[in-house]
Amino acid sequence: MIYFDNSATTKISPEALATYNKVSTDFFGNPSSLHALGTRANEVLQSSRAQIAQLTGAKPNEIYFTSGGTESDNWVIKGTAMAKREFGRHLITTSIEHPAVINTMKQLEKLGFDVTYLPVDHRGFINIDDLKAAIRKDTILVSIMAVNNEIGSMQPIVEAARVLDAYPNIHFHVDAVQAVGKGLDAALQDPRIDFMSFSGHKFHAPRGTGFIYAKEGRMIAPLLTGGGQENDWRSGTENVPAIAAMAKSLRLLLANEADNVARQQAVRKRIYDHVSQKPKVTMFSQLTPDFAPHVLCFAIAGVRGETIVHAFEAKDIYISTTSACSSKKGTESSTLAAMHTDSRIATSAIRVSLDEANTLAEADAFNKAFDTIYAKFAKLDKATV
């Protein structure tokens, strides 16, 4: 079996699973309880927080645990809107954000907020001049993803940060869900970034785990109120075993980040160099440094994406259409639509997404299967002419 759908989810690592099991067994107390079992669980919780902070260049009091990327995005965006609505009701994002951001913005529009969606060019990148022009006196938030989940374009986060240096009262949020362990540490640790969203299951942690980075001194309103966990910012009993497993996964991933990135780049290049030679193939991802090392998106003209996905599945190779969140809906890629891609090509798009365990041998096996599948559809296409 070859698994090339890591942008949808990654397999939990054996080390993270072992940590989860041990903490579940040995530290099962509620971390808010006053007794010894609660104290021990809280020590594990705070140790995990400190480790994640150290790995991300943050302070422990700047890390808040969530259930994943969707909650994290919702919390930062809605929390900013609630906390700063008396100062303004204008928000800025891009036209290619994950649905967790786009749909949150649309929900806020229904509540009276004004949202500017920055356009992207044919490669999937915003123009910094558009960001400059969009900022208004009543702007309270700019939210820009670090890495696009569909084609892998890496947005100019550092350049955006320099623009926002002149507007210290605007919250700057970065969706970093697809960026962890991909060689973007310098950009993600830019001091102008106020909030970042992370999702554990994108880096071999259990599903249902995530966290936000919230810069010290920046305030957002809580979405979940109750017992006052997470410094009154996010109520709900913390999932200590999963949080500890997430900290373990992040540490293991970042310990060999440079080697991991190089390995993914090599696998991606092997596939890109092969499939891009076919006349019916349109490549959306590129090998240039402004594309992430783990995502490769392309289309075979005349064949729907889900048909290609199932053809590879029959050969025990697992890929996806452009986004796992929309694949079952059979909808056109929102990113490719924003790039003004012809809908007949966009509906044919598929995504190969890698992690550090994928190999060149798997790339060769993929290319061999691709040749068979491509020849089959080319033959069917001729037969229908």
Side-chain angles (χ1 to χ4, degrees), residues 231-280:
N231 197 32
D232 284 332
W233 276 32
R234 198 272 190 184
S235 293
T237 302
E238 296 94 341
N239 187 348
V240 177
I243 289 169
M246 178 170 61
K248 171 66 75 66
S249 291
L250 188 61
R251 180 177 65 80
L252 292 175
L253 179 71
L254 298 183
N256 300 295
E257 185 172 8
D259 290 342
N260 292 340
V261 169
R263 189 175 299 112
Q264 290 168 82
Q265 288 173 331
V267 174
R268 182 178 57 132
K269 185 177 187 302
R270 181 72 62 91
I271 297 172
Y272 182 100
D273 288 345
H274 186 82
V275 304
S276 64
Q277 303 303 313
K278 303 296 184 181
K280 286 182 171 291

Side-chain angles (χ1 to χ4, degrees), residues 128-283:
I128 288 297
D129 288 336
D130 289 336
L131 172 60
K132 294 177 182 178
I135 295 174
R136 307 184 331 206
K137 290 183 178 180
D138 61 338
T139 302
I140 57 175
L141 173 71
V142 171
S143 180
I144 301 174
M145 66 186 348
V147 175
N148 179 261
N149 56 300
E150 298 187 19
I151 67 170
S153 55
M154 301 192 303
Q155 297 306 314
I157 298 300
V158 174
E159 291 85 346
R162 298 293 72 79
V163 171
L164 293 172
D165 281 337
Y167 303 92
N169 293 325
I170 297 176
H171 282 182
F172 184 25
H173 167 240
V174 173
D175 181 336
V177 167
Q178 291 290 340
V180 179
K182 306 305 179 184
L184 279 75
D185 293 3
L188 297 183
Q189 294 183 15
D190 190 284
R192 182 59 186 86
I193 297 174
D194 299 310
F195 299 93
M196 283 189 288
S197 304
F198 297 87
S199 181
H201 78 105
K202 305 297 187 182
F203 52 88
H204 307 289
R207 295 173 193 176
T209 60
F211 63 95
I212 68 165
Y213 158 79
K215 183 191 292 183
E216 189 174 34
R218 291 296 205 185
M219 295 297 296
I220 54 174
L223 292 189
L224 302 180
T225 55
Q229 290 85 353
E230 296 298 289
N231 197 32
D232 284 332
W233 276 32
R234 198 272 190 184
S235 293
T237 302
E238 296 94 341
N239 187 348
V240 177
I243 289 169
M246 178 170 61
K248 171 66 75 66
S249 291
L250 188 61
R251 180 177 65 80
L252 292 175
L253 179 71
L254 298 183
N256 300 295
E257 185 172 8
D259 290 342
N260 292 340
V261 169
R263 189 175 299 112
Q264 290 168 82
Q265 288 173 331
V267 174
R268 182 178 57 132
K269 185 177 187 302
R270 181 72 62 91
I271 297 172
Y272 182 100
D273 288 345
H274 186 82
V275 304
S276 64
Q277 303 303 313
K278 303 296 184 181
K280 286 182 171 291
V281 169
T282 298
M283 305 298 300

